[in-house]
Structures are given as structure tokens and as C-alpha cells.
Amino acid sequence: MSCLFNSYDPYFKQPFGAVRAGQTVHLTLCIPEELGYVDPHLVLQKEGKYDVPVHYRMKFDGQTPHQNHFSVDVVLGDPGLYFYYFDLYTDFRRIVRGADNCGVVSWQEGESWQITVYEPDFQTPECIKGKVFYQIFPDRFCEGIENKPMPFPDRLYQADKHAEPFWQPNETGGHLNEDYFGGDLEGIRIKLPYLREMGVDYLYLNPIFEAHSNHRYNTADYLNVDPLLGTNEEFEVLCREAAKYGIGIVLDGVFSHTGSDSRYFNREGRYGGAYRDPNSPYRSWYDFDSKYKDGYRSWWGFETLPEVNEETPSYVEFITGEGGVIDTWLRRGAAGFRLDVADELPDEFIEKVRTAVKRVGPDKFLLGEVWEDATTKFGFDKRRTYLLGKGLDSVMNYPFKNAVLGFVCGRDAGQTMTDILSICEHYPAPALDTALNFLSTHDTERALTVIADEPANGR
């Protein structure tokens, strides 16, 4: 039987992929005569609590040898996810999505196709499209000022740059992140000619804010550069110098949690903060309750990463208000932000972050860390909306990474094609044009490790 419907094929669906709200979509079915008489209807449902399926009768477009053709035009209104299949209205048959995206006849419920409808005014920065990003883990990249003293006595300096980083458990079974190789902003600055020569357009820096671990995902002070990396003024110099080479700098924003060793929480007593002071202005940022193992809610149970209440007005204002964290760093010269664990941040918070980013300039970029298809992600008891035009500009394209590495390691080519086309079909064009495509990151096995099939052995 020939293909009944395939949303990847422009004969069956126009336009391809996601559409702007208010846009018309044209759908066509190709029904073999052997199926007998049919009266096909498009069954379309917007996902939502009170949304119900709507049936659109398809018009007969004519015949080709042994085939009947039907089509329908439908205007898609409000932004959101729409799912559809076709009801043949005879013998309880329907056409649903098959494994290869082609339509198959079924007498039972099956998988539907998806149309993503996004905000009509969704725009992403033209300056990002088609550009090359280079990721830098600041402590390990380049030491511009050698043998500098450690700014805090509990940091261990690795003078031997060929030494193996700490990775084995200590005597209590924990993994410490207190060994520093001394990479700094000056090291990045002096490497700018090398980076430009490689064709780099943007640098994505893992966190640079003051924090008491070498990865710096446990923020201690959102408004200041970690002193081992340099100063706020040196960051501004780096941004200005990078701009001379046509390079922008995107920062890692970790806003779902802070460090326990921070001026906001202060469990370790280095600062003033909420853990030791019930009257701290930061107290409402956290959940303190005996039901939690350590007496407070923490990110995935890591006691050094107390979670933040992103709905707390004072926290939202601190991060997104005028003169807040986003505003401060963009005005210091950053080209944008990458939101760590964006799928664990409320959509409303991300929308406020977007407002803060675009308030500085429409060319400023907001990227999100999402490991799955960002349009179908479910969280906070609802489908996430951060890629429909009011939140993120785009996301890190983990499905692309998985598809490519899977293919290189022997996975079926047809499934690889489907996985990649699915993302192309589901993502709004402005987001697809600015997605961060990569083969490995600091959070994943490196591509060479995957290709070599080295076993993880529980690591």
C-alpha cells in the first residue's frame, strides 16, 4: 500500500513543521481504492484542560490511478501543541502515525501527529543563526596569570597542568571539587586570536560567578566574578576584546538552586545568609522543613545545592528586575545567557528572564538546557511552553547529539533520520535556527568515549 500521509512530505502537509499562530495549514490524504468508500475527517485537538477534538470534513480533490485524494485547510489559532489523526468514518477505521511517520490504517487508537503553534511575533537574534559556539570550562581552559594565590584557603591549586583532576571518592565517600588548575578570564582573553582563527563566533562559558567548587554550579554570589577567575572589570575587558574579534560571550545562569556555601544560604558560615539567620532577607527563597533529609529542599538531594523558590517575588526581582543579575551581566558586555536545567524552572520565571534579556537588546540571546524534545517536555503538572515564543530563544539540541552518535555507532539510518526530522518538525523555525547543536558537553560522555564504546562502569 502506498503512503497515505507523511507530515515530512510537502505533498501531504504544507507548510512543513511548526507554524505561527493564525497560519493556515493544508493537509492532504492519498487513499488507495482498495480501502473502499471513505469519508475522511481531520480530527484535531489542541492540548489543554478544556480542549476537545474538532472534526473537519476533508474535500475530495480527484483521482489518480487506484487512488483518491482528499484535503483540508485549517487555521491554527492560539499557541500550543495540536495533535491530529484522520477518521475514515467507515468501519471504525482511522489513519494514525506509524513508526516511520507514514500514516497507517488502524481500528484502534494510535499515535497522533503534532503541530507546534507558536507566538506570531516570535523572533530570535539574527546574529546567532549559523554561528559557531565554543564551550569553555573556565578553570581548565587557560591560566593567563600563573601561580596566583588562592583567594580562599580551602582551595587546592594544581600547579602541574598535566596532573589528573580529583575524581575518586574521599574517605567519607564524597566527591570533592576543590582542586583548581587556575584557568581565568585573562587566559581566555589571550586565546581570542586562536579562537577566532578556528572560526569561533561565540564562547559559552560554564559558570563564572563566585562559587566554592571548581565547576561553580553552586553559586555563592551572582553579582561578582569568582576571584580566582578575575574581577568584574576584567570580565568587561574580555567582552570588549572579544567583540573586536567578532566573538560574543554567553554566560551560564544557574537559577534553580544556589550553593549552600553562599551569601544567600550560608550553611558553612562563610557569609551571612538564610540557613543561620531566620530573619535573613533571603529566607523566603528556600524551603526549610524537617521532612527534608537535611532540613531544607535541595536540588536532586544534593545538600550543597539548596533549591530556590523561583516564584518568590524578591528572588524574581533580584534575578530579572532592572539592575538585577540578568541586567547587570548583559550591560557588562555578555551576549546572552544559557539557563541551567531550564526544564526545572517555571515557565513564568523563564518568561520574566526573557523580558529582562530583551530589555537590554533584541540581539541578546536566551538559551535553555533541555535534554529531550523541548516542545513535548512535561513538568510542573503541565506541558511546558518555554519554546513557544514567550520564553527561550532556543535550546541545547541533545536529541541531535543522540541521533548522530547513535548512527555513528551503528544505529539504523532510517530511525536516525526520523529522530532528526522530528525535531525539525516540532521546533518553531526561530528556535530551530538558533539551536545549539553539539556532540558532547560537560554533562555527557565525550563523543570519542561514546564512539569507542568505553563502558561507563557505573561512573
Side-chain angles (χ1 to χ4, degrees), residues 217-220 222 253-260 262-266 274 281-288 292 296-300 302-319 341 344-346 349 380:
Y217 278 91
N218 53 342
T219 310
Y222 283 109
V254 186
F255 302 132
S256 67
H257 53 269
T258 67
S260 61
S262 69
R263 64 177 62 258
Y264 316 107
F265 197 78
N266 192 39
Y282 309 122
R283 186 80 179 186
S284 63
W285 292 11
Y286 305 95
D287 283 335
F288 291 95
Y292 300 113
Y296 54 88
R297 183 166 58 95
S298 57
W299 186 77
W300 287 74
F302 291 100
E303 63 180 3
T304 57
L305 302 175
E307 275 205 60
V308 172
N309 294 315
E310 296 93 354
E311 297 89 356
T312 302
S314 62
Y315 182 73
V316 174
E317 181 66 18
F318 175 71
I319 299 297
V341 293
E344 298 181 24
L345 299 171
F349 179 77
F380 296 95

Side-chain angles (χ1 to χ4, degrees), residues 395-408:
V395 292
M396 300 178 71
N397 200 348
Y398 280 88
F400 172 81
K401 172 193 78 76
N402 296 338
V404 172
L405 291 181
F407 174 68
V408 171

Side-chain angles (χ1 to χ4, degrees), residues 30-343:
C30 185
I31 307 295
E33 288 183 347
E34 64 191 77
L35 288 181
Y37 174 78
V38 295
D39 181 20
H41 286 59
L42 166 70
V43 183
L44 178 71
Q45 181 172 6
K46 181 178 184 291
E47 185 176 67
K49 185 175 181 180
Y50 301 107
D51 291 297
V52 297
V54 179
H55 293 241
Y56 299 85
R57 189 174 189 180
M58 303 181 74
K59 67 182 180 68
F60 177 64
D61 288 338
Q63 291 179 312
T64 56
H66 310 296
Q67 293 178 328
N68 295 312
H69 300 264
F70 301 84
S71 68
V72 65
D73 291 312
V74 59
V75 178
L76 297 176
D78 297 332
L81 295 190
Y82 291 72
F83 295 93
Y84 65 97
Y85 65 93
F86 304 93
D87 193 331
L88 296 182
Y89 267 65
T90 55
D91 196 24
F92 303 102
R93 292 173 297 178
R94 62 185 68 191
I95 297 175
V96 297
R97 184 177 185 269
D100 58 356
N101 194 56
C102 282
V104 296
V105 177
S106 175
W107 282 264
Q108 299 175 338
E109 292 186 3
E111 185 178 353
S112 297
W113 288 271
Q114 173 185 323
I115 301 178
T116 304
V117 179
Y118 57 98
E119 296 289 338
D121 59 350
F122 184 24
Q123 302 287 338
T124 52
E126 289 294 326
C127 56
I128 296 291
K129 298 174 183 179
K131 298 303 173 67
V132 175
F133 276 64
Y134 187 91
Q135 181 178 352
I136 289 178
F137 188 84
D139 183 68
R140 308 302 211 237
F141 180 65
C142 179
E143 187 176 28
I145 303 172
E146 296 183 358
N147 300 315
K148 49 187 171 290
M150 291 293 100
F152 300 97
D154 52 355
R155 297 190 180 188
L156 302 177
Y157 178 63
Q158 287 275 24
D160 179 4
K161 304 312 173 194
H162 300 288
E164 188 175 78
F166 291 179
W167 62 273
Q168 293 181 326
N170 62 8
E171 60 276 5
T172 62
H175 289 78
L176 302 179
N177 303 288
E178 59 189 14
D179 59 323
Y180 291 80
F181 283 72
D184 51 26
L185 298 182
E186 176 62 14
I188 299 172
R189 189 192 69 79
I190 64 178
K191 289 290 187 179
L192 288 172
Y194 154 75
L195 293 165
R196 182 66 267 180
E197 185 179 352
M198 284 203 302
V200 172
D201 301 299
Y202 286 87
L203 300 179
Y204 155 42
L205 307 185
N206 290 114
I208 66 167
F209 307 152
E210 181 176 320
H212 300 291
S213 66
N214 51 38
H215 57 71
R216 299 189 174 93
Y217 278 91
N218 53 342
T219 310
D221 187 335
Y222 283 109
L223 295 174
N224 290 296
V225 171
D226 188 274
L228 184 57
L229 292 174
T231 65
N232 297 337
E233 293 72 25
E234 286 175 311
F235 174 76
E236 294 182 25
V237 170
L238 173 61
C239 291
R240 289 197 298 269
E241 291 294 310
K244 294 178 182 178
Y245 290 92
I247 295 175
I249 294 178
V250 173
L251 297 179
D252 214 331
V254 186
F255 302 132
S256 67
H257 53 269
T258 67
S260 61
D261 192 358
S262 69
R263 64 177 62 258
Y264 316 107
F265 197 78
N266 192 39
R267 187 187 69 168
E268 285 75 3
R270 196 189 304 261
Y271 308 88
Y275 183 81
R276 292 167 177 259
D277 180 6
N279 298 314
S280 167
Y282 309 122
R283 186 80 179 186
S284 63
W285 292 11
Y286 305 95
D287 283 335
F288 291 95
D289 196 302
S290 59
K291 68 181 180 182
Y292 300 113
K293 181 184 70 172
D294 301 298
Y296 54 88
R297 183 166 58 95
S298 57
W299 186 77
W300 287 74
F302 291 100
E303 63 180 3
T304 57
L305 302 175
E307 275 205 60
V308 172
N309 294 315
E310 296 93 354
E311 297 89 356
T312 302
S314 62
Y315 182 73
V316 174
E317 181 66 18
F318 175 71
I319 299 297
T320 69
E322 293 197 27
V325 174
I326 299 294
D327 198 62
T328 294
W329 289 100
L330 295 181
R331 296 189 188 282
R332 284 173 178 168
F337 272 89
R338 175 261 194 190
L339 296 184
D340 184 58
V341 293
D343 53 355

Side-chain angles (χ1 to χ4, degrees), residues 445 449 453-459:
E445 293 173 294
T449 302
D453 197 26
E454 178 184 336
N457 293 330
R459 296 195 300 272

Side-chain angles (χ1 to χ4, degrees), residues 369-389:
E369 179 197 10
V370 182
W371 286 44
E372 302 84 9
D373 182 329
T375 64
T376 60
K377 184 74 177 183
F378 199 87
F380 296 95
D381 297 322
K382 63 179 181 178
R383 190 80 74 177
R384 303 304 303 276
T385 62
Y386 42 50
L387 208 63
L388 298 182

